[in-house]
Structures are given as C-alpha cells and as structure tokens.
C-alpha cells in the first residue's frame, strides 16, 4: 500500500500496518476498522462462513474503493441478514474491509478450538514487496506485484542418443524388396 492510495474507506484517515504471526492487516486509528487478507480472514472463521461471504459479495453492490488497490469493493446484499453492514470484499486483490460494527458478528463466527490459531508457517507467508499472500507462480514471481520471490525452476534438458545403425545384417536384407 502506498501513500497515494486512499486511506480508511469509512473515515478517510491513514491506515497503519499491523503484523501478526502468519498474517498482516491495516487498521484505522480513528474508527478502528481493519483491512485484512481474505485468506487468513477466512481461516479464522468457522467452516464455510468465509466461502459463503465470498460468494454473497460477488453479486452484491459495489461500495467504496479498496484501500489496498483502489478498485471498488463489493458487499453482500444489504438485505441479507447473514452479514453485517459495511463489510467489503475486494475480489481483485483479495482483501476484506472489516468495520468495527462487524466485530460482534465476527466473534460469533470465529473458528472454535485449536484451528482458530494459525499454524506457524515453515516459510514466508507474505510477499516482502507488496504484502500479498506468498504464492509464487510457476516462474517464481508474486502473482500480484510480479516481484521475483523464488528461483525459477531449472530447465530440464533431455538428450536422446540415436539408435545404433543396423546396416549390413541379414535382417536388413530380409526387409528390402528384391
């Protein structure tokens, strides 16, 4: 997120980056809303809640611009009682805006037990260049900002030796027309 992008979608104040183990988020110091990656957000919720939200927001109305990429976010249909008002999903950069009014809704839908805490990852969890989820493409680049994250796969070269010549044998003579 760069300084020329919009701040908080609710009040316009600057967002501050907060890093937690296995994730990162941006929080508004004025209104308390936060912007999180959808993948860690979904994992923190009970089974199926995140997927239901993603699908419901796909057909919902466009709302304010995403603070991360400036594209319009979508929200589930305002008449849908399953979701809180003001929750916004950016399907382009896979971020979710969580207003403070959504906190009670989130508390009711958090995953229960040890699955709620993210496991300690063995490698990086986010792109060091843009903060997106660490998911290099087949060439080793970030699929969001295209920064080189990992070494590209080494090319595989296969050299086949030609079959040995079989000229001058009786089998060759039998195979030729007379």
């Amino acid at each position: 997120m760069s300084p020329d992008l919009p701040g908080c979608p609710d009040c316009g104040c600057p967002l501050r980056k907060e890093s937690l183990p296995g994730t990162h988020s941006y929080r508004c110091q004025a209104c308390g809303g936060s912007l999180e990656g959808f993948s860690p957000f979904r994992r923190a919720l009970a089974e199926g809640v995140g997927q239901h939200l993603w699908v419901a927001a796909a057909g919902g109305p466009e709302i304010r611009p995403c603070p991360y990429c400036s594209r319009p976010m979508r929200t589930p249909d305002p008449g849908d009682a399953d979701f809180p008002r003001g929750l916004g999903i950016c399907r382009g950069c896979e971020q979710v805006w969580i207003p403070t009014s959504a906190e009670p809704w989130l508390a009711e839908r958090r995953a229960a037990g040890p699955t709620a805490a993210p496991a300690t990852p063995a490698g990086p969890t986010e792109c060091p260049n843009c903060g997106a989820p660490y998911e290099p493409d087949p060439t080793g680049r970030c699929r969001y900002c295209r920064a080189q994250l990992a070494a590209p796969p080494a090319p595989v070269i296969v050299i086949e030796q030609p079959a040995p010549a079989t000229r001058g044998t009786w089998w060759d003579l039998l195979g030729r027309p007379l």
Side-chain angles (χ1 to χ4, degrees), residues 38-54 83 105-116:
F38 189 78
S39 182
F41 171 78
R42 179 185 53 82
R43 284 191 307 261
L45 297 174
E47 183 75 28
V49 175
Q51 291 87 336
H52 184 58
L53 175 62
W54 182 263
F83 303 107
W105 180 85
L106 287 174
E108 292 174 6
R109 288 158 180 82
R110 293 268 183 227
T115 57

PDB file of all heavy atoms in Angstrom, residues 38-54 83 105-116:
ATOM      1  N   PHE A  38      -7.988 -11.815   2.583  1.00  0.00           N
ATOM      2  CA  PHE A  38      -9.155 -12.674   2.701  1.00  0.00           C
ATOM      3  C   PHE A  38      -8.797 -14.086   3.149  1.00  0.00           C
ATOM      4  O   PHE A  38      -9.536 -14.705   3.911  1.00  0.00           O
ATOM      5  CB  PHE A  38      -9.942 -12.721   1.391  1.00  0.00           C
ATOM      6  CG  PHE A  38     -11.260 -13.421   1.548  1.00  0.00           C
ATOM      7  CD1 PHE A  38     -12.326 -12.757   2.122  1.00  0.00           C
ATOM      8  CD2 PHE A  38     -11.422 -14.734   1.164  1.00  0.00           C
ATOM      9  CE1 PHE A  38     -13.543 -13.400   2.309  1.00  0.00           C
ATOM     10  CE2 PHE A  38     -12.623 -15.386   1.342  1.00  0.00           C
ATOM     11  CZ  PHE A  38     -13.691 -14.717   1.911  1.00  0.00           C
ATOM     12  N   SER A  39      -7.676 -14.607   2.708  1.00  0.00           N
ATOM     13  CA  SER A  39      -7.307 -15.978   3.061  1.00  0.00           C
ATOM     14  C   SER A  39      -7.142 -16.168   4.570  1.00  0.00           C
ATOM     15  O   SER A  39      -7.743 -17.067   5.145  1.00  0.00           O
ATOM     16  CB  SER A  39      -6.053 -16.396   2.303  1.00  0.00           C
ATOM     17  OG  SER A  39      -5.721 -17.714   2.593  1.00  0.00           O
ATOM     18  N   PRO A  40      -6.330 -15.341   5.279  1.00  0.00           N
ATOM     19  CA  PRO A  40      -6.254 -15.519   6.731  1.00  0.00           C
ATOM     20  C   PRO A  40      -7.577 -15.203   7.433  1.00  0.00           C
ATOM     21  O   PRO A  40      -7.916 -15.825   8.434  1.00  0.00           O
ATOM     22  CB  PRO A  40      -5.149 -14.574   7.183  1.00  0.00           C
ATOM     23  CG  PRO A  40      -4.742 -13.783   6.012  1.00  0.00           C
ATOM     24  CD  PRO A  40      -5.371 -14.359   4.798  1.00  0.00           C
ATOM     25  N   PHE A  41      -8.325 -14.241   6.901  1.00  0.00           N
ATOM     26  CA  PHE A  41      -9.633 -13.901   7.459  1.00  0.00           C
ATOM     27  C   PHE A  41     -10.556 -15.122   7.395  1.00  0.00           C
ATOM     28  O   PHE A  41     -11.207 -15.481   8.360  1.00  0.00           O
ATOM     29  CB  PHE A  41     -10.217 -12.728   6.666  1.00  0.00           C
ATOM     30  CG  PHE A  41     -11.646 -12.398   6.994  1.00  0.00           C
ATOM     31  CD1 PHE A  41     -11.958 -11.693   8.144  1.00  0.00           C
ATOM     32  CD2 PHE A  41     -12.678 -12.770   6.150  1.00  0.00           C
ATOM     33  CE1 PHE A  41     -13.274 -11.379   8.448  1.00  0.00           C
ATOM     34  CE2 PHE A  41     -13.989 -12.454   6.428  1.00  0.00           C
ATOM     35  CZ  PHE A  41     -14.290 -11.760   7.589  1.00  0.00           C
ATOM     36  N   ARG A  42     -10.577 -15.787   6.238  1.00  0.00           N
ATOM     37  CA  ARG A  42     -11.424 -16.967   6.039  1.00  0.00           C
ATOM     38  C   ARG A  42     -11.025 -18.110   6.974  1.00  0.00           C
ATOM     39  O   ARG A  42     -11.874 -18.790   7.530  1.00  0.00           O
ATOM     40  CB  ARG A  42     -11.336 -17.419   4.580  1.00  0.00           C
ATOM     41  CG  ARG A  42     -12.155 -18.647   4.253  1.00  0.00           C
ATOM     42  CD  ARG A  42     -11.940 -19.111   2.822  1.00  0.00           C
ATOM     43  NE  ARG A  42     -10.558 -19.303   2.470  1.00  0.00           N
ATOM     44  CZ  ARG A  42      -9.841 -20.400   2.750  1.00  0.00           C
ATOM     45  NH1 ARG A  42     -10.385 -21.392   3.404  1.00  0.00           N
ATOM     46  NH2 ARG A  42      -8.584 -20.491   2.376  1.00  0.00           N
ATOM     47  N   ARG A  43      -9.710 -18.312   7.146  1.00  0.00           N
ATOM     48  CA  ARG A  43      -9.241 -19.402   8.022  1.00  0.00           C
ATOM     49  C   ARG A  43      -9.611 -19.178   9.475  1.00  0.00           C
ATOM     50  O   ARG A  43      -9.758 -20.134  10.234  1.00  0.00           O
ATOM     51  CB  ARG A  43      -7.732 -19.562   7.899  1.00  0.00           C
ATOM     52  CG  ARG A  43      -7.294 -20.245   6.630  1.00  0.00           C
ATOM     53  CD  ARG A  43      -5.820 -20.615   6.668  1.00  0.00           C
ATOM     54  NE  ARG A  43      -4.957 -19.502   6.992  1.00  0.00           N
ATOM     55  CZ  ARG A  43      -4.281 -18.778   6.113  1.00  0.00           C
ATOM     56  NH1 ARG A  43      -4.368 -19.048   4.843  1.00  0.00           N
ATOM     57  NH2 ARG A  43      -3.512 -17.779   6.508  1.00  0.00           N
ATOM     58  N   ALA A  44      -9.768 -17.918   9.890  1.00  0.00           N
ATOM     59  CA  ALA A  44     -10.110 -17.619  11.281  1.00  0.00           C
ATOM     60  C   ALA A  44     -11.593 -17.823  11.571  1.00  0.00           C
ATOM     61  O   ALA A  44     -11.995 -17.850  12.734  1.00  0.00           O
ATOM     62  CB  ALA A  44      -9.705 -16.193  11.628  1.00  0.00           C
ATOM     63  N   LEU A  45     -12.398 -17.974  10.539  1.00  0.00           N
ATOM     64  CA  LEU A  45     -13.837 -18.152  10.720  1.00  0.00           C
ATOM     65  C   LEU A  45     -14.212 -19.622  10.753  1.00  0.00           C
ATOM     66  O   LEU A  45     -13.442 -20.484  10.327  1.00  0.00           O
ATOM     67  CB  LEU A  45     -14.592 -17.466   9.571  1.00  0.00           C
ATOM     68  CG  LEU A  45     -14.432 -15.959   9.472  1.00  0.00           C
ATOM     69  CD1 LEU A  45     -15.103 -15.442   8.214  1.00  0.00           C
ATOM     70  CD2 LEU A  45     -14.986 -15.264  10.695  1.00  0.00           C
ATOM     71  N   ALA A  46     -15.408 -19.893  11.247  1.00  0.00           N
ATOM     72  CA  ALA A  46     -15.917 -21.271  11.274  1.00  0.00           C
ATOM     73  C   ALA A  46     -16.025 -21.803   9.851  1.00  0.00           C
ATOM     74  O   ALA A  46     -16.123 -21.033   8.886  1.00  0.00           O
ATOM     75  CB  ALA A  46     -17.275 -21.305  11.966  1.00  0.00           C
ATOM     76  N   GLU A  47     -16.029 -23.099   9.718  1.00  0.00           N
ATOM     77  CA  GLU A  47     -16.075 -23.776   8.417  1.00  0.00           C
ATOM     78  C   GLU A  47     -17.232 -23.263   7.557  1.00  0.00           C
ATOM     79  O   GLU A  47     -18.374 -23.230   7.990  1.00  0.00           O
ATOM     80  CB  GLU A  47     -16.239 -25.287   8.641  1.00  0.00           C
ATOM     81  CG  GLU A  47     -16.218 -26.112   7.392  1.00  0.00           C
ATOM     82  CD  GLU A  47     -14.827 -26.275   6.821  1.00  0.00           C
ATOM     83  OE1 GLU A  47     -13.848 -26.230   7.582  1.00  0.00           O
ATOM     84  OE2 GLU A  47     -14.727 -26.433   5.599  1.00  0.00           O
ATOM     85  N   GLY A  48     -16.902 -22.830   6.339  1.00  0.00           N
ATOM     86  CA  GLY A  48     -17.905 -22.425   5.372  1.00  0.00           C
ATOM     87  C   GLY A  48     -18.339 -20.966   5.417  1.00  0.00           C
ATOM     88  O   GLY A  48     -18.923 -20.472   4.461  1.00  0.00           O
ATOM     89  N   VAL A  49     -18.081 -20.254   6.507  1.00  0.00           N
ATOM     90  CA  VAL A  49     -18.536 -18.865   6.629  1.00  0.00           C
ATOM     91  C   VAL A  49     -17.817 -17.970   5.624  1.00  0.00           C
ATOM     92  O   VAL A  49     -18.434 -17.154   4.940  1.00  0.00           O
ATOM     93  CB  VAL A  49     -18.350 -18.332   8.068  1.00  0.00           C
ATOM     94  CG1 VAL A  49     -18.699 -16.856   8.155  1.00  0.00           C
ATOM     95  CG2 VAL A  49     -19.190 -19.140   9.043  1.00  0.00           C
ATOM     96  N   GLY A  50     -16.500 -18.122   5.495  1.00  0.00           N
ATOM     97  CA  GLY A  50     -15.738 -17.298   4.560  1.00  0.00           C
ATOM     98  C   GLY A  50     -16.149 -17.536   3.121  1.00  0.00           C
ATOM     99  O   GLY A  50     -16.308 -16.576   2.348  1.00  0.00           O
ATOM    100  N   GLN A  51     -16.350 -18.786   2.749  1.00  0.00           N
ATOM    101  CA  GLN A  51     -16.762 -19.103   1.390  1.00  0.00           C
ATOM    102  C   GLN A  51     -18.139 -18.504   1.093  1.00  0.00           C
ATOM    103  O   GLN A  51     -18.380 -17.971   0.014  1.00  0.00           O
ATOM    104  CB  GLN A  51     -16.799 -20.623   1.155  1.00  0.00           C
ATOM    105  CG  GLN A  51     -15.441 -21.268   1.160  1.00  0.00           C
ATOM    106  CD  GLN A  51     -14.981 -21.662   2.558  1.00  0.00           C
ATOM    107  OE1 GLN A  51     -15.395 -21.124   3.565  1.00  0.00           O
ATOM    108  NE2 GLN A  51     -14.062 -22.610   2.626  1.00  0.00           N
ATOM    109  N   HIS A  52     -19.039 -18.600   2.066  1.00  0.00           N
ATOM    110  CA  HIS A  52     -20.384 -18.046   1.898  1.00  0.00           C
ATOM    111  C   HIS A  52     -20.317 -16.531   1.701  1.00  0.00           C
ATOM    112  O   HIS A  52     -21.004 -15.969   0.848  1.00  0.00           O
ATOM    113  CB  HIS A  52     -21.246 -18.409   3.106  1.00  0.00           C
ATOM    114  CG  HIS A  52     -22.665 -17.976   3.010  1.00  0.00           C
ATOM    115  ND1 HIS A  52     -23.510 -18.362   1.997  1.00  0.00           N
ATOM    116  CD2 HIS A  52     -23.392 -17.159   3.804  1.00  0.00           C
ATOM    117  CE1 HIS A  52     -24.696 -17.819   2.174  1.00  0.00           C
ATOM    118  NE2 HIS A  52     -24.649 -17.067   3.257  1.00  0.00           N
ATOM    119  N   LEU A  53     -19.462 -15.866   2.464  1.00  0.00           N
ATOM    120  CA  LEU A  53     -19.280 -14.421   2.339  1.00  0.00           C
ATOM    121  C   LEU A  53     -18.720 -14.056   0.967  1.00  0.00           C
ATOM    122  O   LEU A  53     -19.192 -13.125   0.317  1.00  0.00           O
ATOM    123  CB  LEU A  53     -18.357 -13.914   3.447  1.00  0.00           C
ATOM    124  CG  LEU A  53     -17.970 -12.446   3.387  1.00  0.00           C
ATOM    125  CD1 LEU A  53     -19.198 -11.559   3.518  1.00  0.00           C
ATOM    126  CD2 LEU A  53     -16.974 -12.127   4.493  1.00  0.00           C
ATOM    127  N   TRP A  54     -17.707 -14.800   0.500  1.00  0.00           N
ATOM    128  CA  TRP A  54     -17.086 -14.531  -0.803  1.00  0.00           C
ATOM    129  C   TRP A  54     -18.127 -14.620  -1.926  1.00  0.00           C
ATOM    130  O   TRP A  54     -18.201 -13.764  -2.803  1.00  0.00           O
ATOM    131  CB  TRP A  54     -15.940 -15.516  -1.029  1.00  0.00           C
ATOM    132  CG  TRP A  54     -15.195 -15.304  -2.296  1.00  0.00           C
ATOM    133  CD1 TRP A  54     -15.382 -15.955  -3.487  1.00  0.00           C
ATOM    134  CD2 TRP A  54     -14.139 -14.372  -2.532  1.00  0.00           C
ATOM    135  NE1 TRP A  54     -14.504 -15.491  -4.422  1.00  0.00           N
ATOM    136  CE2 TRP A  54     -13.721 -14.515  -3.866  1.00  0.00           C
ATOM    137  CE3 TRP A  54     -13.498 -13.429  -1.730  1.00  0.00           C
ATOM    138  CZ2 TRP A  54     -12.702 -13.765  -4.424  1.00  0.00           C
ATOM    139  CZ3 TRP A  54     -12.477 -12.679  -2.292  1.00  0.00           C
ATOM    140  CH2 TRP A  54     -12.093 -12.844  -3.621  1.00  0.00           C
ATOM    141  N   PHE A  83     -25.062 -11.213   7.078  1.00  0.00           N
ATOM    142  CA  PHE A  83     -23.801 -10.469   7.086  1.00  0.00           C
ATOM    143  C   PHE A  83     -23.996  -9.079   7.651  1.00  0.00           C
ATOM    144  O   PHE A  83     -25.043  -8.464   7.469  1.00  0.00           O
ATOM    145  CB  PHE A  83     -23.240 -10.368   5.657  1.00  0.00           C
ATOM    146  CG  PHE A  83     -23.027 -11.704   5.030  1.00  0.00           C
ATOM    147  CD1 PHE A  83     -23.863 -12.162   4.031  1.00  0.00           C
ATOM    148  CD2 PHE A  83     -22.000 -12.527   5.455  1.00  0.00           C
ATOM    149  CE1 PHE A  83     -23.684 -13.409   3.456  1.00  0.00           C
ATOM    150  CE2 PHE A  83     -21.806 -13.769   4.901  1.00  0.00           C
ATOM    151  CZ  PHE A  83     -22.647 -14.216   3.902  1.00  0.00           C
ATOM    152  N   TRP A 105     -20.400  -9.724  14.998  1.00  0.00           N
ATOM    153  CA  TRP A 105     -20.676 -10.762  14.016  1.00  0.00           C
ATOM    154  C   TRP A 105     -19.487 -11.709  13.901  1.00  0.00           C
ATOM    155  O   TRP A 105     -19.648 -12.931  13.855  1.00  0.00           O
ATOM    156  CB  TRP A 105     -20.979 -10.100  12.670  1.00  0.00           C
ATOM    157  CG  TRP A 105     -21.284 -11.060  11.562  1.00  0.00           C
ATOM    158  CD1 TRP A 105     -22.487 -11.613  11.267  1.00  0.00           C
ATOM    159  CD2 TRP A 105     -20.356 -11.567  10.591  1.00  0.00           C
ATOM    160  NE1 TRP A 105     -22.367 -12.441  10.164  1.00  0.00           N
ATOM    161  CE2 TRP A 105     -21.071 -12.423   9.735  1.00  0.00           C
ATOM    162  CE3 TRP A 105     -19.001 -11.377  10.361  1.00  0.00           C
ATOM    163  CZ2 TRP A 105     -20.474 -13.089   8.676  1.00  0.00           C
ATOM    164  CZ3 TRP A 105     -18.410 -12.039   9.303  1.00  0.00           C
ATOM    165  CH2 TRP A 105     -19.138 -12.879   8.477  1.00  0.00           C
ATOM    166  N   LEU A 106     -18.266 -11.127  13.851  1.00  0.00           N
ATOM    167  CA  LEU A 106     -17.055 -11.946  13.750  1.00  0.00           C
ATOM    168  C   LEU A 106     -16.859 -12.818  14.983  1.00  0.00           C
ATOM    169  O   LEU A 106     -16.472 -13.976  14.880  1.00  0.00           O
ATOM    170  CB  LEU A 106     -15.824 -11.066  13.555  1.00  0.00           C
ATOM    171  CG  LEU A 106     -15.676 -10.428  12.194  1.00  0.00           C
ATOM    172  CD1 LEU A 106     -14.504  -9.463  12.194  1.00  0.00           C
ATOM    173  CD2 LEU A 106     -15.473 -11.484  11.143  1.00  0.00           C
ATOM    174  N   ALA A 107     -17.105 -12.252  16.169  1.00  0.00           N
ATOM    175  CA  ALA A 107     -16.921 -13.011  17.410  1.00  0.00           C
ATOM    176  C   ALA A 107     -17.814 -14.246  17.443  1.00  0.00           C
ATOM    177  O   ALA A 107     -17.407 -15.299  17.931  1.00  0.00           O
ATOM    178  CB  ALA A 107     -17.200 -12.113  18.613  1.00  0.00           C
ATOM    179  N   GLU A 108     -19.010 -14.141  16.893  1.00  0.00           N
ATOM    180  CA  GLU A 108     -19.932 -15.281  16.869  1.00  0.00           C
ATOM    181  C   GLU A 108     -19.519 -16.345  15.870  1.00  0.00           C
ATOM    182  O   GLU A 108     -19.908 -17.494  15.984  1.00  0.00           O
ATOM    183  CB  GLU A 108     -21.338 -14.803  16.498  1.00  0.00           C
ATOM    184  CG  GLU A 108     -21.996 -13.936  17.527  1.00  0.00           C
ATOM    185  CD  GLU A 108     -23.328 -13.382  17.033  1.00  0.00           C
ATOM    186  OE1 GLU A 108     -23.779 -13.768  15.930  1.00  0.00           O
ATOM    187  OE2 GLU A 108     -23.904 -12.557  17.748  1.00  0.00           O
ATOM    188  N   ARG A 109     -18.736 -15.971  14.867  1.00  0.00           N
ATOM    189  CA  ARG A 109     -18.407 -16.896  13.780  1.00  0.00           C
ATOM    190  C   ARG A 109     -16.945 -17.321  13.738  1.00  0.00           C
ATOM    191  O   ARG A 109     -16.493 -17.897  12.764  1.00  0.00           O
ATOM    192  CB  ARG A 109     -18.816 -16.269  12.450  1.00  0.00           C
ATOM    193  CG  ARG A 109     -20.314 -16.266  12.297  1.00  0.00           C
ATOM    194  CD  ARG A 109     -20.795 -15.237  11.334  1.00  0.00           C
ATOM    195  NE  ARG A 109     -22.246 -15.245  11.188  1.00  0.00           N
ATOM    196  CZ  ARG A 109     -23.080 -14.643  12.037  1.00  0.00           C
ATOM    197  NH1 ARG A 109     -22.608 -13.991  13.082  1.00  0.00           N
ATOM    198  NH2 ARG A 109     -24.380 -14.684  11.831  1.00  0.00           N
ATOM    199  N   ARG A 110     -16.217 -17.041  14.785  1.00  0.00           N
ATOM    200  CA  ARG A 110     -14.810 -17.468  14.845  1.00  0.00           C
ATOM    201  C   ARG A 110     -14.742 -18.984  14.914  1.00  0.00           C
ATOM    202  O   ARG A 110     -15.617 -19.634  15.475  1.00  0.00           O
ATOM    203  CB  ARG A 110     -14.109 -16.893  16.081  1.00  0.00           C
ATOM    204  CG  ARG A 110     -13.950 -15.412  16.043  1.00  0.00           C
ATOM    205  CD  ARG A 110     -12.622 -15.051  15.437  1.00  0.00           C
ATOM    206  NE  ARG A 110     -12.466 -13.606  15.486  1.00  0.00           N
ATOM    207  CZ  ARG A 110     -12.068 -12.869  14.473  1.00  0.00           C
ATOM    208  NH1 ARG A 110     -11.763 -13.425  13.340  1.00  0.00           N
ATOM    209  NH2 ARG A 110     -11.953 -11.580  14.586  1.00  0.00           N
ATOM    210  N   ALA A 111     -13.680 -19.536  14.350  1.00  0.00           N
ATOM    211  CA  ALA A 111     -13.471 -20.982  14.406  1.00  0.00           C
ATOM    212  C   ALA A 111     -13.231 -21.385  15.853  1.00  0.00           C
ATOM    213  O   ALA A 111     -12.566 -20.673  16.604  1.00  0.00           O
ATOM    214  CB  ALA A 111     -12.293 -21.385  13.532  1.00  0.00           C
ATOM    215  N   ALA A 112     -13.771 -22.505  16.230  1.00  0.00           N
ATOM    216  CA  ALA A 112     -13.615 -22.988  17.600  1.00  0.00           C
ATOM    217  C   ALA A 112     -12.392 -23.874  17.721  1.00  0.00           C
ATOM    218  O   ALA A 112     -11.984 -24.524  16.774  1.00  0.00           O
ATOM    219  CB  ALA A 112     -14.858 -23.772  18.009  1.00  0.00           C
ATOM    220  N   GLY A 113     -11.809 -23.893  18.895  1.00  0.00           N
ATOM    221  CA  GLY A 113     -10.712 -24.802  19.194  1.00  0.00           C
ATOM    222  C   GLY A 113      -9.381 -24.380  18.619  1.00  0.00           C
ATOM    223  O   GLY A 113      -9.177 -23.248  18.223  1.00  0.00           O
ATOM    224  N   PRO A 114      -8.453 -25.340  18.547  1.00  0.00           N
ATOM    225  CA  PRO A 114      -7.097 -25.029  18.125  1.00  0.00           C
ATOM    226  C   PRO A 114      -6.966 -24.621  16.668  1.00  0.00           C
ATOM    227  O   PRO A 114      -5.977 -24.055  16.282  1.00  0.00           O
ATOM    228  CB  PRO A 114      -6.325 -26.328  18.391  1.00  0.00           C
ATOM    229  CG  PRO A 114      -7.358 -27.389  18.472  1.00  0.00           C
ATOM    230  CD  PRO A 114      -8.620 -26.727  18.908  1.00  0.00           C
ATOM    231  N   THR A 115      -7.993 -24.872  15.838  1.00  0.00           N
ATOM    232  CA  THR A 115      -7.877 -24.483  14.438  1.00  0.00           C
ATOM    233  C   THR A 115      -7.980 -22.975  14.256  1.00  0.00           C
ATOM    234  O   THR A 115      -7.632 -22.464  13.210  1.00  0.00           O
ATOM    235  CB  THR A 115      -8.973 -25.169  13.591  1.00  0.00           C
ATOM    236  OG1 THR A 115     -10.244 -24.817  14.144  1.00  0.00           O
ATOM    237  CG2 THR A 115      -8.791 -26.662  13.562  1.00  0.00           C
ATOM    238  N   ALA A 116      -8.439 -22.260  15.274  1.00  0.00           N
ATOM    239  CA  ALA A 116      -8.570 -20.809  15.160  1.00  0.00           C
ATOM    240  C   ALA A 116      -7.204 -20.130  15.116  1.00  0.00           C
ATOM    241  O   ALA A 116      -7.041 -19.104  14.497  1.00  0.00           O
ATOM    242  CB  ALA A 116      -9.385 -20.256  16.322  1.00  0.00           C
TER     243      ALA A 116
END
